[in-house]
């Protein structure tokens, strides 16, 4: 399946590289001569694979994949999810279930126009391509990828690179139920039934078998949490800000040096509207 995905991506690269542009000139007597010059290919941006497994190069061509039913989606990305599990420790079943749910098994509007299969928003520091899509609010910024495989890799980097998800890696990567509830606890989604939805998909399509296969190959251990990750988690505490006259989410975010998006995620807010006396939970760090 990896080969199939690579062929789809690299075929697009090949076709782009083979294009030529024609320069038409007219000689004596009006005869037409066609000079063909190779079109300069779009600059390639190699996606860092960290030596894990080969990723297709980003040629700048958007590749859309079509799926008729959920099982088609699973068949396409199961091996990718397993390879990501080996490399990053995230259960393949969780990755597949999130992909199925967030992308509508590849049929959702966001997935079709951005290849973003995990609903990851731009967030501060994102330097890749993006597009706008109505989600909790109208016209929110979402990451855009030229191939779905990039979305899977970015999902792994997203979870392993943020301290609020660090505790998840204390769980065995075959314990999909703990992971499902942990994702909700960490604030990945605002839907209170998010864990149950993931678990239902995993059990309905027997996705846990992909975890077990990876574990049997020797990748079933807990990922070692770094000292720095433990320090950040240990230093976290929650504060409650009581909204005063004149407060806005932006002014509160500046006061505590956090983002507006984080404030909304921590408090399950779907708009920027706040009222006097409202209690806003803020995750901060304590310094000794």
């Amino acid at each position: 399946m990896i080969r199939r995905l690579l062929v789809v991506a690299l075929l697009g690269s090949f076709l782009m590289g083979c294009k030529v542009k024609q320069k038409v000139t007219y000689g004596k007597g009006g005869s037409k001569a066609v000079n063909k010059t190779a079109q300069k290919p779009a600059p390639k941006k190699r996606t860092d694979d960290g030596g894990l497994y080969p990723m297709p190069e980003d040629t700048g061509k958007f590749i859309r994949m079509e799926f008729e039913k959920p099982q088609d989606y699973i068949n396409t990305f199961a091996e990718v999810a397993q390879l990501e599990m080996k490399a990053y420790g995230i259960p393949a079943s969780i990755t597949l279930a999130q992909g199925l749910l967030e992308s509508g098994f590849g049929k959702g509007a966001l997935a079709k126009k951005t290849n973003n299969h995990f609903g990851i928003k731009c967030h501060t520091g994102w330097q890749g391509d993006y597009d706008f899509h109505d989600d909790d609010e109208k016209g929110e910024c979402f990451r855009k990828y030229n191939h779905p495989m990039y979305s899977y890799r970015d999902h792994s980097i997203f979870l392993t690179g943020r301290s609020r998800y660090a505790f998840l890696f204390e769980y065995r990567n075959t314990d999909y139920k703990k992971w499902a509830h942990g994702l909700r606890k960490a604030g990945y989604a605002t839907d209170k039934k998010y864990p149950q939805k993931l678990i239902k998909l995993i059990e309905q399509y027997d996705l846990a078998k992909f975890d077990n296969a990876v574990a049997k190959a020797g990748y079933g251990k807990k990922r070692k949490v770094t000292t720095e990750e433990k320090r950040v988690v240990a230093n976290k505490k929650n504060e409650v800000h009581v909204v005063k006259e004149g407060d806005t989410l932006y002014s509160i975010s500046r006061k505590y040096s956090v983002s507006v998006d984080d404030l909304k995620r921590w408090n399950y807010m779907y708009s920027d509207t706040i009222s006097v006396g409202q209690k806003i939970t803020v995750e901060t760090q304590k310094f000794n």
Side-chain angles (χ1 to χ4, degrees):
M1 187 54 66
I2 288 293
R3 288 182 180 178
R4 192 174 108 185
L5 287 170
L6 287 170
V7 167
V8 170
L10 296 177
L11 182 59
S13 171
F14 174 77
L15 291 175
M16 288 181 67
C18 290
K19 287 182 180 178
V20 296
K21 58 182 180 181
Q22 297 182 344
K23 183 179 180 181
V24 180
T25 59
Y26 292 88
K28 292 182 179 180
S31 61
K32 183 168 66 173
V34 178
N35 297 321
K36 293 185 177 181
T37 58
Q39 185 182 40
K40 185 178 180 181
K44 294 182 178 181
K45 177 183 177 183
R46 177 175 292 280
T47 298
D48 180 21
D49 63 12
L52 303 173
Y53 63 90
M55 294 280 283
E57 289 185 341
D58 189 348
T59 62
K61 182 176 178 61
F62 186 86
I63 297 172
R64 176 175 291 180
M65 303 183 73
E66 300 288 345
F67 309 95
E68 292 185 4
K69 51 189 178 181
Q71 192 60 54
D72 294 335
Y73 184 96
I74 295 167
N75 294 341
T76 300
F77 293 112
E79 187 180 359
V80 178
Q82 287 180 300
L83 289 169
E84 293 296 321
M85 178 178 174
K86 290 179 180 180
Y88 291 93
I90 302 164
S93 62
I94 286 290
T95 299
L96 284 170
Q98 285 192 282
L100 282 164
L101 182 61
E102 299 285 352
S103 75
F105 63 93
K107 285 183 172 291
L110 178 65
K112 284 187 174 181
K113 71 178 181 179
T114 65
N115 276 332
N116 186 334
H117 286 212
F118 298 92
I120 299 179
K121 297 179 182 179
C122 293
H123 297 289
T124 303
W126 174 246
Q127 297 180 343
D129 200 0
Y130 58 89
D131 206 335
F132 298 101
H133 180 75
D134 295 346
D135 190 51
D136 294 335
E137 292 185 7
K138 185 177 180 61
E140 292 189 274
C141 181
F142 285 86
R143 300 183 182 189
K144 183 177 181 179
Y145 314 89
N146 284 325
H147 193 285
M149 285 183 73
Y150 303 149
S151 179
Y152 271 71
R153 173 55 55 82
D154 199 30
H155 171 262
S156 297
I157 295 172
F158 185 84
L159 292 185
T160 55
R162 284 164 169 72
S163 60
R164 70 173 183 264
Y165 297 114
F167 72 93
L168 291 172
F169 296 91
E170 296 285 353
Y171 304 148
R172 291 191 67 84
N173 54 16
T174 51
D175 194 341
Y176 63 84
K177 290 184 178 180
K178 278 190 176 181
W179 271 82
H181 287 283
L183 283 167
R184 171 69 174 80
K185 180 181 178 182
Y188 191 96
T190 55
D191 185 353
K192 293 182 179 180
K193 295 184 178 180
Y194 194 72
Q196 290 76 15
K197 290 179 179 179
L198 293 182
I199 292 170
K200 181 179 179 180
L201 285 169
I202 291 170
E203 295 180 348
Q204 179 179 355
Y205 294 105
D206 191 23
L207 303 183
K209 66 184 179 184
F210 300 116
D211 300 339
N212 296 331
V214 173
K216 285 181 180 179
Y219 296 90
K221 298 178 180 179
K222 300 176 182 178
R223 171 179 171 270
K224 185 177 181 180
V225 179
T226 66
T227 302
E228 175 61 18
E229 287 173 333
K230 289 181 178 179
R231 185 192 68 79
V232 171
V233 172
N235 283 341
K236 278 193 173 293
K237 66 175 183 178
N238 289 344
E239 290 190 17
V240 176
H241 178 92
V242 180
V243 177
K244 302 179 181 62
E245 188 71 37
D247 276 350
T248 64
L249 279 183
Y250 179 71
S251 67
I252 296 171
S253 73
R254 291 293 299 273
K255 178 178 179 179
Y256 294 97
S257 299
V258 297
S259 70
V260 171
D261 282 343
D262 280 340
L263 285 176
K264 293 167 70 174
R265 177 172 53 79
W266 294 330
N267 293 275
Y268 311 113
M269 299 170 64
Y270 298 92
S271 71
D272 292 339
T273 303
I274 56 177
S275 56
V276 175
Q278 181 177 349
K279 294 181 179 180
I280 305 290
T281 298
V282 183
E283 289 187 11
T284 60
Q285 292 193 36
K286 57 186 177 183
F287 298 94
N288 297 325

